[in-house]
Amino acid sequence: MIKQSLFKVISCALLIFFTSCVKDLDFDQAQNFEISPTFVASLAYTKLEQTTFVSPTGTEITRITDTSNFFVFENSVTDDLVKIDVDFEIDNPFNRRFTVDFRFLDGGGTETFRLRQVAVPENTLNYKYKEEIDLSVNNSILNSKRIEVILELLPSSDGSIININERKVFTFKSAGTFYFKIN
């Protein structure tokens, strides 16, 4: 029994030895190696109820600004970053139009990059907008430390204000898809 098992092992080893191929290795091909990973991160997210847009005295609040820290560019991996796609998804249940300004700021509050202003139509759910940032022409964005979102409520055509007793929620979501090319 042991002789038969030993014979099988030796036979397999000889079979592999005599039938395997040997090819010269090209170690230079590692120099041409390139990978293109992507990374998706939430940038800004907010939910604003109808009461957010009307002051206690009954006047409409037409401009809301939110600034948050942004740490994505704080390491050397940005050397391999080639582009960023910024995606917005907005729910506007109000019978009013809004504009959204989205800016990247450095540590001192100076603008490093601004996306195109987005006009959000009234009574629109699941509104989507996408903008691509090519870093070969917009590399100043790499100095960004903060993100600022400015939401502006446009005047109504009939002079009315938002009804604080009618529950509605304006939702703003944004995400960045970061594309890398690593050699």
Side-chain angles (χ1 to χ4, degrees), residues 86-156:
V86 179
D87 291 283
F88 294 158
E89 188 174 307
I90 302 168
D91 286 342
N92 176 14
F94 298 102
N95 62 349
R96 299 286 291 284
R97 294 176 297 128
F98 287 84
T99 60
V100 177
D101 286 307
F102 195 94
R103 302 182 328 143
F104 291 87
L105 310 171
D106 66 14
T110 303
E111 183 178 297
T112 58
F113 189 82
R114 177 189 295 249
L115 297 177
R116 287 181 205 97
Q117 186 179 68
V118 177
V120 184
E122 62 273 355
N123 300 311
T124 302
L125 302 180
N126 203 26
Y127 181 82
K128 293 184 181 188
Y129 175 79
K130 179 184 219 168
E131 188 167 331
E132 180 181 300
I133 304 167
D134 180 354
L135 295 179
S136 67
V137 292
N138 296 305
N139 66 356
S140 63
I141 193 173
L142 297 176
N143 299 319
S144 302
K145 305 280 186 221
R146 297 185 348 212
I147 291 174
E148 180 180 66
V149 179
I150 302 168
L151 181 66
E152 190 164 346
L153 173 64
L154 301 177
S156 66

Side-chain angles (χ1 to χ4, degrees), residues 50-95:
Q50 74 282 2
T51 54
T52 308
F53 300 105
V54 181
S55 74
T57 61
T59 20
E60 230 168 36
I61 299 168
T62 59
R63 187 179 182 99
I64 296 172
T65 303
D66 183 40
T67 305
S68 57
N69 292 327
F70 180 69
F71 302 109
V72 172
F73 300 141
E74 289 193 354
N75 56 46
S76 62
V77 77
T78 58
D79 296 342
D80 299 315
L81 187 60
V82 292
K83 81 171 183 168
I84 305 166
D85 286 342
V86 179
D87 291 283
F88 294 158
E89 188 174 307
I90 302 168
D91 286 342
N92 176 14
F94 298 102
N95 62 349

Side-chain angles (χ1 to χ4, degrees), residues 35-53:
I35 58 173
S36 301
T38 59
F39 170 72
V40 179
S42 176
L43 299 177
Y45 174 83
T46 191
K47 284 183 158 191
L48 303 170
E49 293 190 16
Q50 74 282 2
T51 54
T52 308
F53 300 105

